[in-house]
């Protein structure tokens, strides 16, 4: 982060650190088309890291950004915008899910059906699921265990494991068959590179839009899966283990249940 802010091509390097970071995140959020909640989370993470800089760097003292009026104002504005934001993509419902799986299988895209089944079962990001190895997924009749070691979720909260189940026997068989077909491969899907993941996720997006409508996005699967968990009796506290949110307030906002 420090190197990015003070690289020669960045025009804010002449500013004090708080002001430089504000300009850095403004530019980064525009370039990456971040949601307001993503911007707020990134700024909060940076503030927390610098507040503990003396613990894991050669800095002699912490760097308390909270002391800067400009940084406090920027955080206040980011928090307000995040609170005002509503999730725009609609949720991918269980009915959409069943129809999409059937559609993929009817076209011989069993790999795509298996990807959607596993993603919906645990409310994960499809891009993270695509980076799973065969050893990181354990599937039994009444038990599903998935360990994430790569992907956005891991970058945000570190390696983690979730437990669930796939009640539909046909869906469970589709996923089990896909796992068995890849016994000789390390990866469950041929998506070891970002380019490969982009191609598969594009196919997945086209699939869910064919059943859920053109307004569907990749995050619609995750949102719909988490909502379905609640409808099936999961508590908000257990949902946090799947979603990675730090509290139920942000979880409800993500689900559109303010």
């Amino acid at each position: 982060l420090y190197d990015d802010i003070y690289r020669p091509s960045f025009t804010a390097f002449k500013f004090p650190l708080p002001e430089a970071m504000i300009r850095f995140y403004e530019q980064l959020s525009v370039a990456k088309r971040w949601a307001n909640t993503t911007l707020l989370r990134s700024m909060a993470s940076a503030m927390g890291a610098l507040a503990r800089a003396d613990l894991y760097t050669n800095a002699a003292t912490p760097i308390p950004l909270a002391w800067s009026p400009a940084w406090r104002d920027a955080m206040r504005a980011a928090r307000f915008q995040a609170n005002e934001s509503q999730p725009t993509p609609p949720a991918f419902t269980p009915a959409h899910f069943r129809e999409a799986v059937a559609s993929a299988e009817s076209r011989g895209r069993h790999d795509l059906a298996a990807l959607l089944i596993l993603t919906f079962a645990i409310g994960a990001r499809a891009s993270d699921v695509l980076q799973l190895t065969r050893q990181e997924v354990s599937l039994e009749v009444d038990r599903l265990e998935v360990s994430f070691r790569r992907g956005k979720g891991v970058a945000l909260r570190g390696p983690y494991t979730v437990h669930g189940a796939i009640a539909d026997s046909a869906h469970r068989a589709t996923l089990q068959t896909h796992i068995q077909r890849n016994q000789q491969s390390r990866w469950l899907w041929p998506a070891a590179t970002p380019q490969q993941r982009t191609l598969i996720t594009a196919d997945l997006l086209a699939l869910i839009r064919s059943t859920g409508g053109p307004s569907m996005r990749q995050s619609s699967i995750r949102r719909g899966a988490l909502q379905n968990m609640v409808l099936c009796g999961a508590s908000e506290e257990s949902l946090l283990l799947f979603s990675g949110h730090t509290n139920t307030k942000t979880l409800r906002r993500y689900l559109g249940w303010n």
Side-chain angles (χ1 to χ4, degrees):
L1 174 62
Y2 186 91
D3 291 339
D4 282 338
I5 291 174
Y6 286 102
R7 68 182 186 272
S9 61
F10 185 60
T11 57
F13 73 95
K14 295 181 180 180
F15 292 90
L17 181 61
E19 287 81 356
M21 289 185 63
I22 292 169
R23 286 165 174 77
F24 171 74
Y25 278 111
E26 287 175 346
Q27 293 184 16
L28 191 62
S29 65
V30 171
K32 294 193 173 185
R33 302 175 65 182
W34 278 352
N36 292 326
T37 51
T38 303
L39 173 60
L40 175 62
R41 184 169 59 245
S42 299
M43 292 177 65
S45 297
M47 182 173 66
L50 290 177
R52 298 185 297 273
D54 58 320
L55 300 180
Y56 54 86
T57 72
N58 57 3
T61 60
I63 304 174
L65 288 178
W67 289 4
S68 164
W71 181 262
R72 289 199 303 270
D73 289 344
M75 284 291 293
R76 190 179 299 112
R79 189 175 297 109
F80 174 80
Q81 292 173 349
N83 289 338
E84 290 297 309
S85 299
Q86 295 294 329
T88 51
F92 197 63
T93 68
H96 293 147
F97 163 71
R98 290 189 292 270
E99 186 179 352
V101 170
S103 175
E105 292 186 321
S106 69
R107 293 187 284 111
R109 289 300 307 270
H110 304 291
D111 61 325
L112 210 56
L115 173 61
L116 181 56
I117 289 168
L118 184 54
T119 301
F120 198 80
I122 56 177
R125 297 174 179 85
S127 58
D128 290 0
V129 172
L130 285 171
Q131 298 181 65
L132 290 169
T133 66
R134 185 169 50 83
Q135 291 75 19
E136 290 165 348
V137 178
S138 175
L139 176 62
E140 299 177 9
V141 173
D142 59 349
R143 181 174 174 272
L144 172 65
E145 180 179 303
V146 182
S147 298
F148 288 93
R149 299 292 179 266
R150 292 159 294 279
K152 182 177 179 180
V154 172
L156 293 173
R157 55 171 164 162
Y160 66 99
T161 299
V162 293
H163 300 84
I166 299 177
D168 189 292
S169 58
H171 291 169
R172 188 169 60 248
T174 296
L175 180 56
Q176 188 66 64
T177 299
H178 179 79
I179 294 174
Q180 292 172 352
R181 284 175 178 168
N182 290 273
Q183 288 290 339
Q184 304 304 316
S185 173
R186 178 189 177 194
W187 306 99
L188 277 179
W189 284 269
T193 67
Q195 293 78 9
Q196 291 172 315
R197 289 195 291 275
T198 298
L199 292 175
I200 298 178
T201 52
D203 289 344
L204 181 62
L205 182 58
L207 174 64
I208 65 174
R209 284 179 172 173
S210 70
T211 61
S215 59
M216 289 286 165
R217 289 166 50 183
Q218 294 287 354
S219 56
S220 297
I221 304 174
R222 177 170 157 84
R223 180 170 291 114
L226 294 171
Q227 289 182 358
N228 186 55
M229 289 180 188
V230 174
L231 296 176
C232 291
S235 66
E236 289 183 334
E237 287 71 21
S238 64
L239 233 63
L240 295 175
L241 301 176
F242 290 90
S243 71
H245 292 93
T246 55
N247 58 70
T248 56
K249 183 177 180 180
T250 55
L251 172 64
R252 293 190 197 109
R253 186 161 58 244
Y254 176 79
L255 296 176
W257 290 348
N258 289 341

